[in-house]
Amino acid sequence: MIEELVIRDLGVIKEATLPLGPGFTAVTGETGAGKTMVVTALGLLLGARADPGLVRHGAQQTWVEGRWQVDADGTVAGRVRDAGGDLDGPDLILSRSVSAEGRSRAIVGGRSAPASVLGDLGGDLVVVHGQSDQVRLRSAGAQRAALDRFAGPELGPVLADFETHYHRWQDDRAELARLVTEQDERTSEAADLRAAIDEIEAIAPQAAEDDDLAARAERLGNLEELRLAAAQSRELLSAEENPDGLPDAVTLLDAARRQLERAGDHDPALSELAQSLANAGFLVADVAAQLSSYLAGLDADGARELEIVQERRAVLTGLARKYAGGLDEAIAFLDTGSARLLELDGDTDRIEQLRADTEAELLVVETLADKLTGIRTTAAAALGTAVTAELSALAMPDAALVVEVDSGGELSMHGRDQVGILLRPHAGAEPRTLARGASGGELSRVMLAIEVVINATDPVPTFVFDEVDAGVGGAAAIEIGRRLARLAETAQVIVVTHLAQVAAFAGNHLSVVKDSDGSVTESSVRQLTGDDRAAEMARLLSGLPDSVSGLEHARELMNLASTGGSTKIR
């Protein structure tokens, strides 16, 4: 429950602290004093959109803080810790600021967090009902949601199972539709891939083959120059026949060696040099032999081979340009293209499998939808009976609530059921939809009756009602107060009201007080007891807080509430 709410610079409220606590709290005040800002403040703490228009005129930012008492081991505490925050002892502190420029900051358990975290926590902390919620109750979606909350534990697991299979069925349907729609396109893609792979395999390129062929083409294009250079070098090194009669290098080295050897007997150093010349002669002779082999190996038909090499290079160049800009990329395309072709060729099998899976999932979805219909139909009868009894106690003794479940709708993520909540205003009348058959005051009572009944199966820690008594007065208002007090026996109830008949049943009465200096209106909040509370009740009844008859009527009303209500007046 909410223990305390602190508001600063929100709307017309400069600064206010609202002591809340358990039971039934009524919030009253003059028109324009800012009563609804209490609901707005709670909305900000529960993740509502940050509106810079909420910042009080002249202030830099608005700031609200709420202190909740939560179970330290419960779901809410776990989510807070997941967001990086923690409890303050047994309490959870949430705060939110909104600047005049529209910037928003949320604090969850002492740590900054996205506003979406506040929204996630809100569903487990508070249910807020305003006049917009009364309008929303006229919608089919809200009526189905109310019935599902009442059906509670029995419906929940079945609905969760249904949603899982429904989403799986929808995903399979979408994938199947996509494959069928794209089948011609994918068949064309497969044909193009197959042709490309066949072309690459026919050419059979090898890694770095283009570099090898470039080197070979360079060699073949210069055969004559290579032959002349090799032949002349060989003749200079070792010539079997020298037309010019000039000695070759081998002959000269041999002659030099012999000269040194003849003189080597006189100096051993010359013998060593003679051996070096002998080794050099061997090396030169070996190089000459290699040049002879090189000359013998030069292609006899170099021109023809060069043509073949150039043709191969042209084929590889065309392939590289056609497939991703390089020979290595073209070779890699064989792997990626083959994998993609296997995927495309498997489309037929995939389509057949998806058809089978879709049909199987649909059977499960329809079975679960039928089960949902059965649970809702049973719950609808019970909800109608229970709410009808509540309406009788809310000064609508002849009215009856009828909840209809029509299973003839299209499958959706909630099942196929269309839920309608109808109101029969009196015996013998035909039930009519809430949109057509209920006035504003009746709709307020219907909503309250539904919430009282549903809370028995789906309890919520805190309920906030913003003028749930709109359009109601007299005895009906007293019964609304009585029922709110009854709801407060099992939950915290906070009500913004303008009716003394409702406020009389509250155990905690807060008044939003408006002060004005002639130009700027500022509001604060006071907790009322004793004579102050009687004066506020008299003001609500007659507009005159000092009226003797008004005060007498106020005290009579408070006595009535204390004896006939469900909470003790403080």
Side-chain angles (χ1 to χ4, degrees):
M1 67 175 180
I2 311 173
E3 295 180 314
E4 184 179 78
L5 182 65
V6 180
I7 305 172
R8 184 180 301 149
D9 293 326
L10 177 64
V12 297
I13 297 179
K14 181 177 182 181
E15 186 167 357
T17 298
L18 284 72
L20 298 172
F24 181 2
T25 295
V27 181
T28 63
E30 296 179 15
T31 300
K35 299 187 297 298
T36 57
M37 287 295 105
V38 174
V39 178
T40 301
L42 281 171
L44 287 174
L45 291 178
L46 301 176
R49 183 178 67 87
D51 182 0
L54 297 174
V55 180
R56 191 175 67 87
H57 180 70
Q60 296 298 313
Q61 68 173 13
T62 185
W63 178 82
V64 294
E65 179 180 278
R67 180 179 291 272
W68 267 264
Q69 189 178 86
V70 299
D71 181 358
D73 299 319
T75 302
V76 170
R79 290 182 180 177
V80 170
R81 294 185 182 105
D82 289 342
D86 206 346
L87 303 186
D88 180 17
D91 295 338
L92 166 64
I93 298 176
L94 303 178
S95 61
R96 180 93 177 271
S97 64
V98 180
S99 73
E101 292 78 27
R103 293 188 300 274
S104 170
R105 185 183 181 208
I107 305 294
V108 176
R111 294 290 298 273
S112 293
S116 59
V117 175
L118 296 176
D120 291 339
L121 295 172
D124 292 320
L125 292 172
V126 178
V127 170
V128 178
H129 284 293
Q131 293 191 46
S132 61
D133 297 278
Q134 297 176 26
V135 174
R136 191 159 58 247
L137 185 60
R138 301 172 189 261
S139 73
Q143 293 174 10
R144 186 206 63 251
L147 177 60
D148 286 356
R149 281 184 59 205
F150 177 73
E154 184 180 4
L155 182 77
V158 180
L159 183 57
D161 197 16
F162 172 86
E163 289 174 349
T164 298
H165 286 280
Y166 177 81
H167 288 306
R168 191 177 300 162
W169 172 59
Q170 288 290 83
D171 290 344
D172 286 349
R173 284 182 68 196
E175 177 70 5
L176 178 60
R178 184 183 66 82
L179 288 179
V180 170
T181 300
E182 299 176 358
Q183 195 167 30
D184 290 343
E185 180 182 337
R186 292 163 74 90
T187 299
S188 176
E189 182 186 354
D192 293 342
L193 275 175
R194 193 171 285 107
I197 290 170
D198 289 344
E199 180 181 17
I200 296 173
E201 288 179 339
I203 295 173
Q206 302 300 313
E209 183 182 359
D210 48 352
D211 294 334
D212 294 341
L213 288 173
R216 191 171 179 187
E218 179 71 17
R219 176 176 177 271
L220 291 171
N222 296 278
L223 277 179
E224 287 306 316
E225 185 179 347
L226 294 173
R227 184 179 286 110
L228 180 61
Q232 290 178 344
S233 296
R234 184 192 63 184
E235 291 296 327
L236 290 171
L237 292 176
S238 177
E240 297 176 0
E241 297 180 1
N242 192 332
D244 298 326
L246 297 175
D248 57 32
V250 172
T251 301
L252 291 173
L253 287 170
D254 188 56
R257 177 185 60 77
R258 286 196 301 268
Q259 290 293 335
L260 293 177
E261 284 179 345
R262 280 195 295 269
D265 294 338
H266 306 297
D267 189 347
L270 292 179
S271 297
E272 292 178 2
L273 292 173
Q275 183 59 45
S276 296
L277 285 173
N279 292 337
F282 294 144
L283 289 173
V284 171
D286 185 56
V287 172
Q290 291 180 37
L291 286 171
S292 295
S293 297
Y294 177 80
L295 286 167
L298 284 176
D299 304 275
D301 189 9
R304 175 59 186 154
E305 185 179 353
L306 179 60
E307 182 181 351
I308 294 172
V309 169
Q310 297 291 34
E311 288 176 354
R312 178 66 175 173
R313 290 184 70 196
V315 170
L316 293 179
T317 300
L319 186 67
R321 289 174 178 171
K322 191 173 182 180
Y323 296 101
L327 188 62
D328 291 341
E329 286 78 3
I331 295 172
F333 183 80
L334 277 176
D335 293 332
T336 58
S338 297
R340 176 61 175 163
L341 187 59
L342 284 174
E343 178 185 340
L344 295 171
D345 286 342
D347 272 359
T348 301
D349 294 339
R350 176 62 177 155
I351 287 172
E352 292 305 316
Q353 183 62 51
L354 277 173
R355 282 200 175 103
D357 291 346
T358 301
E359 291 173 0
E361 282 295 336
L362 178 57
L363 287 176
V364 175
V365 167
E366 288 179 334
T367 299
L368 290 170
D370 291 340
K371 193 169 183 180
L372 287 174
T373 299
I375 296 172
R376 283 174 174 146
T377 301
T378 301
L383 179 61
T385 299
V387 173
T388 297
E390 282 295 322
L391 291 176
S392 178
L394 287 170
M396 294 176 68
D398 299 322
L401 195 79
V402 178
V403 184
E404 294 182 344
V405 178
D406 179 4
S407 61
E410 296 289 332
L411 283 168
S412 72
M413 64 179 298
H414 304 291
R416 61 162 62 92
D417 302 324
Q418 300 295 316
V419 176
I421 297 181
L422 312 177
L423 182 66
R424 187 176 63 209
H426 53 82
E430 287 294 324
R432 305 180 70 183
T433 63
L434 293 180
R436 297 176 57 197
S439 64
E442 289 172 334
L443 196 58
S444 298
R445 283 177 278 177
V446 169
M447 186 181 72
L448 177 58
I450 289 174
E451 204 59 73
V452 168
V453 170
I454 290 177
N455 191 58
T457 58
D458 182 33
V460 174
T462 299
F463 289 94
V464 178
F465 294 97
D466 183 11
E467 298 194 1
V468 68
D469 48 22
V472 178
I478 290 176
E479 294 306 326
I480 286 179
R482 198 187 306 276
R483 281 302 176 267
L484 288 169
R486 175 182 166 186
L487 185 60
E489 293 176 357
T490 56
Q492 182 184 37
V493 176
I494 302 168
V495 180
V496 176
T497 181
H498 63 282
L499 292 181
Q501 294 92 330
V502 172
F505 287 86
N508 180 31
H509 192 157
L510 304 178
S511 174
V512 181
V513 182
K514 180 171 64 174
D515 297 324
S516 179
D517 63 0
S519 59
V520 178
T521 298
E522 297 178 356
S523 296
S524 60
V525 176
R526 291 191 301 133
Q527 188 174 35
L528 301 179
T529 58
D531 291 341
D532 290 337
R533 187 181 182 206
E536 172 64 5
M537 294 286 289
R539 186 194 66 78
L540 292 172
L541 286 168
S542 64
L544 301 173
D546 299 326
S547 166
V548 175
S549 60
L551 288 169
E552 184 179 348
H553 188 185
R555 291 190 178 93
E556 180 183 3
L557 190 57
M558 288 189 290
N559 289 334
L560 171 67
S562 65
T563 57
S566 302
T567 56
K568 184 177 180 181
I569 303 295
R570 286 200 291 263

